[in-house]
Amino acid sequence: MKIRKYNIVTYSILCLAFVVLASCSTSKNTLPNRAYHNMTCRYNVLWNGKQAFKSAEAEMKKLSKDNYTATLPVYNYPDKSDVAPALSYLDRTIEKSSKAIYKHSMLIRGKEYVKTIDDAYLLMGKSNFYKQDYVAAQRIFQYILHNYPNSNTYNEAAVMLARTAMRQGYYALADEQLENLHYLATNKKDKKFNRIFNAAKAEYHLTAPDGEVSEAIDYLNNAIAAKPEREFCNRLHLIAGELYESIGQQEEATKHFKTVINKTSDYNMLFCAQMHLASNYDGSESSRNSIMKLFNRMLDEKKNEDFQDQIYYACSEIARIDEDVDARKDYLAKSVASSTNNNYQKTFSAITLADLYFSENDYRNAQHYYDSAMMSIPKNYPNYEALQKKGNFLKDLVEKLDEIDLQDSLQRIAKLSPSERNRWVKKMIDDYTEAERKAAAEEAERMLALQNASSYSNINQTSSNGKWYFYNQSLVTAGMQDFYRRFGNRKLEDNWFISNKQQISFDDMMVMNDPSLAKDSVEYDEDGNPIPKRETDPKKEQYYLQDLPLTPGAMDTSNNIIATNLFQVGFIYQDLLQDLPRACESFQSLVTRYPESDYTPSSIFMLYSLYTRQNNTTKANEYKYIIMTKYPDSDYAKIINDPQYYQKIAERNKQVERNYQTVYEQFNQKQWAAVVRAADENIPMCTDENLKSKYAYLRAVSAGQLYNEDSLIRGFQRLIVDYDKEPVAELARVYLASVEPSKLVVEAPAEGTSEDPDKAAAPKTPVAPTTNPFVYNADEVHYVILLVQSSKLPIQTVKLNLNSFNKTYFSLQRFNISSFYVNNTQQMVTIAKFTNASTAVDYYNILVKDPVFVEDIQNQTIIVYPMSASNYTTYYNNHEGRKFYDQFVQDNYFKH
């Protein structure tokens, strides 16, 4: 009986399981299937997806920071790089939506029987939209429109498709999509649709190139009438108020601002509305007094400490309406100085003030505030690149003007008599000492005040009630007072405890710890004379005398610095600032002060050109006369006589380039004599060094074929001398490295002789050196070289192994590794550079014992030497003397 009862229970469970499994089918249109999939999709998978989407929206809201210095956008989209915290929620939403579609969709013969599948698609599309994957979002919204035309998600998907197009910059497509929905917004009493549709239309008119402010206002009012949620409604009111204000409808703007003030709980939005409301200034004295009274009260309120920059900017707008330029500048400067965390406001105020100074041609102050703006400007700020460029060339201008002023000041002091100069130095030292004394006295007074304010002896880490130190405000305050008493007012930065933050190197720190490690830090000039150390103590006379041009050579250098900067400043005024009068002043100053300067002819021509542009015929003719009489053969005189002079030169250069193609074809056809003649004709006419070098290369090879190898060698040697930096010079070096050394010492005919260099007499046979040409200097800069048999070992492998070796044993040092052919079988690899012979030998000793190199060194595939800089040059140039170097190394570097 028990067995029978057990079988019945088992049978019942199996039947129930079969029914449940049968109900999971998505291919059979039965009532149990529809009920199961509708319920499971709505209340399980899709519900989880919606919860994840809500979390994503909350995170996006935190990420979105509004810029209240400009008109707010309808929707705030954070930068794509800032969306990361919300990505996990959005990905989970997409996962759940996909799962709902995959497991529960009952699309049978073109009809969907699960009512929430279109919601899953919409949720997936919106998640991709917020991820800023607009291509995927667009594809999903279009799928909904195509497959679910009668669903309750159709309208929202259509609006989202239009917003997606706007984010991609396809405004025409967005406008067309929204126009197709316009009749629904006017005929259908669907508040949700009216809200999103009118908000999207307002967004279009605020962002599209052909958008209209009046249209945006109408759609904003329609969206507000559809009663969106409170926070979004306040946002729309603020935008509408700002737009009404921009078109001069102050009364309507005031209504919207007051609505925001009465309803918003967001203090940033409230403050912004208050500022706009206060700024509705009609120019009357009573209105001004009322507004300024409000602003002053707001400045005194502690809660507005982070908003003082905006308040001062609003004050500057009052001054702008009053046309009080000085007051406006003052308020804008205060706005920049008081900014704490609002980079948009700081940037906007700084740029506004910089533009004011720029309009007055006060370039120094303009540069100062452009520089301030560049330190805080967000990357997405309008016209970012143009502002950056403007700031950079103003910085360049001011640096050059400062250098001119500095050199003028130094020259003025240098020209004083010794007694007057000594009195000036003494006064500078006395002034510095007095300023230092006053600063010390003020600091002492402040410290004494802090000590008197401190009525405690010790501070415990916890209070009597066991609260953590930083939760007890009285202890925190006492701690701050004790900090000020001990350290004074220190800026929050790295190494705050160091009062003198002069930059020191790692070597300096080592010397501070162990003075015995100190090295000779004397530097030397090009002639080998020691350069005196710069004095850094402002209380020493040398500090003020060290830069004075007290010798004729120093005075010439100072004058050259002034002339160079005057010349460059003139071009900045002319080309970048379009300030022609100041450009003339700069060039005129150069011509007057330095009539023999190399820049003088160019400056005179620029003055002629500038006065011509300003229609000042008298001054233009004055400088034209100077050019024609003093520089009659210059390019400037030729340009005045023939305005098409440069165009003709350009055309001639083009012809030379075309000729090169012909010469190159002749070279390929082995017409050696024709190539030599054509090169001799075209090289003098050519102004492009690169093209000249190519002609010279073809000529050298052709001469070698036409005459003998000596002609080729001489041609390549001249090519290396004349065009050392051009690419073809390297080809010549490679060839010469493979030539027998005895053939390389060729005497070319003297310049101006009639002897044909290609038919010159046979070269003199050089006499092989019988003495060692190398000189040992342990204190000279050194290299370590590797002579590698490149036929046996790839040079790239050697370089890679050296790079790994340096990282392993010398990771704190930076070496340069280069290579070139020394003959047709050997390449020289150079590791540079070492301060002296000792450091080079240390490197050598470790290298020759490294397992990677030992075998190749033993079989002489690689030969390693330490080598001084002067011997490096000798080794390269003196082929016959190379045989002495091995013994030279043994005798001098390893003699002990």
Side-chain angles (χ1 to χ4, degrees), residues 242-392:
E242 290 172 332
L243 295 180
Y244 274 123
E245 188 178 58
S246 70
I247 61 176
Q249 296 188 25
Q250 303 295 348
E251 187 175 345
E252 291 296 326
T254 299
K255 291 178 183 178
H256 285 283
F257 293 140
K258 285 183 176 179
T259 300
V260 175
I261 292 171
N262 292 331
K263 293 186 177 181
T264 188
S265 58
D266 183 337
Y267 187 71
N268 286 300
M269 188 174 287
L270 170 66
F271 182 84
C272 181
Q274 288 176 330
M275 296 302 295
H276 279 290
L277 193 61
S279 299
N280 285 335
Y281 172 48
D282 59 9
S284 66
E285 185 175 355
S286 60
S287 175
R288 185 184 186 282
N289 292 338
S290 173
I291 293 173
M292 293 305 296
K293 183 178 179 180
L294 172 62
F295 284 161
N296 288 328
R297 187 176 73 246
M298 294 172 72
L299 285 169
D300 292 335
E301 293 176 347
K302 188 172 181 62
K303 65 180 181 181
N304 290 328
E305 283 183 351
D306 290 338
F307 299 94
Q308 287 188 358
D309 51 352
Q310 297 180 52
I311 299 172
Y312 281 123
Y313 179 77
C315 292
S316 76
E317 286 297 283
I318 301 296
R320 178 183 63 80
I321 295 172
D322 288 342
E323 299 183 354
D324 188 343
V325 177
D326 291 337
R328 188 183 180 198
K329 289 179 185 175
D330 183 54
Y331 284 127
L332 286 170
K334 289 178 178 177
S335 175
V336 175
S338 61
S339 180
T340 55
N341 55 18
N342 190 338
N343 283 342
Y344 276 99
Q345 183 62 63
K346 182 175 183 178
T347 301
F348 189 71
S349 297
I351 290 174
T352 303
L353 183 53
D355 287 340
L356 266 177
Y357 282 120
F358 189 86
S359 65
E360 298 174 347
N361 295 338
D362 185 350
Y363 300 122
R364 289 183 186 273
N365 278 317
Q367 185 273 327
H368 173 73
Y369 283 101
Y370 276 125
D371 194 47
S372 296
M374 288 301 107
M375 294 175 66
S376 60
I377 190 169
K379 295 294 185 182
N380 59 349
Y381 195 87
N383 300 319
Y384 172 82
E385 292 184 358
L387 290 169
Q388 188 179 46
K389 183 178 179 181
K390 194 173 188 179
N392 286 340

Side-chain angles (χ1 to χ4, degrees), residues 81 111 133 159 209 227 231 260 327 339 360 367 387 412 446 452 551 566 658 706 736 742 744 761 853 873:
S81 58
K111 183 177 180 180
D133 185 354
V159 173
K227 298 182 179 179
E231 190 172 344
V260 175
S339 180
E360 298 174 347
Q367 185 273 327
L387 290 169
R412 185 178 67 255
R446 193 171 60 80
N452 292 336
T551 64
L566 281 171
R658 290 192 289 267
L706 190 62
L736 294 177
S742 59
L744 292 178
F853 297 96
T873 304

Side-chain angles (χ1 to χ4, degrees), residues 45 94-104:
V45 185
I94 294 171
E95 177 192 348
K96 292 299 179 183
S97 301
S98 302
K99 187 175 181 180
I101 296 167
Y102 179 73
K103 287 193 172 184
H104 299 293

Side-chain angles (χ1 to χ4, degrees), residues 427-714:
K427 182 178 183 302
M428 296 297 292
I429 294 174
D430 290 344
D431 290 346
Y432 179 84
T433 305
E434 178 63 18
E436 193 177 47
R437 186 194 64 77
K438 286 183 178 179
E442 291 174 359
E443 181 69 10
E445 287 180 12
R446 193 171 60 80
M447 291 295 101
L448 180 61
L450 287 172
Q451 287 175 354
N452 292 336
S454 302
S455 58
Y456 58 90
S457 58
N458 292 308
I459 298 175
N460 296 321
Q461 289 296 318
T462 58
S463 62
S464 58
N465 59 7
K467 291 173 66 178
W468 187 45
Y469 177 89
F470 290 105
Y471 292 160
N472 189 318
Q473 187 57 43
S474 63
L475 290 178
V476 171
T477 303
M480 290 175 63
Q481 290 178 344
D482 187 52
F483 177 87
Y484 285 128
R485 179 175 60 81
R486 296 183 183 208
F487 300 106
N489 187 17
R490 297 292 176 91
K491 184 180 178 182
L492 180 59
E493 60 184 355
D494 291 341
N495 300 322
W496 59 266
F497 47 84
I498 301 175
S499 58
N500 183 7
K501 296 185 180 63
Q502 288 183 336
Q503 291 187 353
I504 58 176
S505 68
F506 182 77
D507 290 339
D508 294 332
M509 294 175 65
M510 295 291 290
V511 172
M512 289 167 63
N513 293 327
D514 185 359
S516 65
L517 297 175
K519 300 177 182 178
D520 180 16
S521 59
V522 177
E523 296 182 1
Y524 299 88
D525 61 21
E526 294 178 355
D527 299 326
N529 300 315
I531 300 173
K533 278 189 176 181
R534 290 189 61 80
E535 181 58 66
T536 58
D537 186 356
K539 290 188 282 188
K540 298 289 184 63
E541 290 186 6
Q542 187 58 28
Y543 179 83
Y544 302 95
L545 297 174
Q546 58 193 350
D547 291 321
L548 297 180
L550 298 175
T551 64
M555 186 63 75
D556 288 343
T557 300
S558 177
N559 285 329
N560 189 53
I561 291 172
I562 296 174
T564 301
N565 282 285
L566 281 171
F567 189 68
Q568 293 172 350
V569 163
F571 279 104
I572 293 175
Y573 281 136
Q574 174 188 275
D575 298 332
L576 300 178
L577 299 175
Q578 302 299 315
D579 190 340
L580 303 189
R582 291 203 179 188
C584 288
E585 287 178 15
S586 186
F587 289 125
Q588 180 61 63
S589 177
L590 193 156
V591 171
T592 303
R593 295 179 62 177
Y594 308 108
E596 301 303 321
S597 168
D598 292 340
Y599 298 110
T600 299
S602 301
S603 298
I604 294 173
F605 178 78
M606 292 311 303
L607 286 166
Y608 161 76
S609 176
L610 287 167
Y611 282 121
T612 300
R613 288 170 60 183
Q614 297 176 76
N615 297 318
N616 190 334
T617 307
T618 303
K619 296 292 285 185
N621 287 336
E622 176 185 336
Y623 290 105
K624 176 182 177 180
Y625 176 78
I626 295 174
I627 292 170
M628 301 307 292
T629 55
K630 196 170 182 180
Y631 310 103
D633 298 325
S634 66
D635 283 349
Y636 308 118
K638 293 174 183 177
I639 293 171
I640 292 173
N641 287 327
D642 182 5
Q644 303 300 316
Y645 175 71
Y646 275 138
Q647 287 88 331
K648 290 179 179 178
I649 291 178
E651 181 57 38
R652 187 178 69 188
N653 288 339
K654 289 180 181 178
Q655 183 58 49
V656 172
E657 289 179 15
R658 290 192 289 267
N659 292 346
Y660 179 77
Q661 298 301 323
T662 303
V663 174
Y664 189 73
E665 290 175 5
Q666 292 173 336
F667 178 82
N668 287 332
Q669 295 169 7
K670 300 182 180 180
Q671 299 178 20
W672 313 121
V675 172
V676 171
R677 285 195 303 272
D680 289 340
E681 292 172 1
N682 284 278
I683 288 177
M685 296 190 297
C686 188
T687 58
D688 184 341
E689 289 296 304
N690 181 261
L691 190 58
K692 270 187 178 181
S693 69
K694 292 179 180 178
Y695 269 116
Y697 181 82
L698 296 185
R699 187 194 187 286
V701 175
S702 298
Q705 295 291 333
L706 190 62
Y707 303 112
N708 51 44
E709 187 182 13
D710 290 343
S711 298
L712 175 62
I713 292 172
R714 280 196 300 274

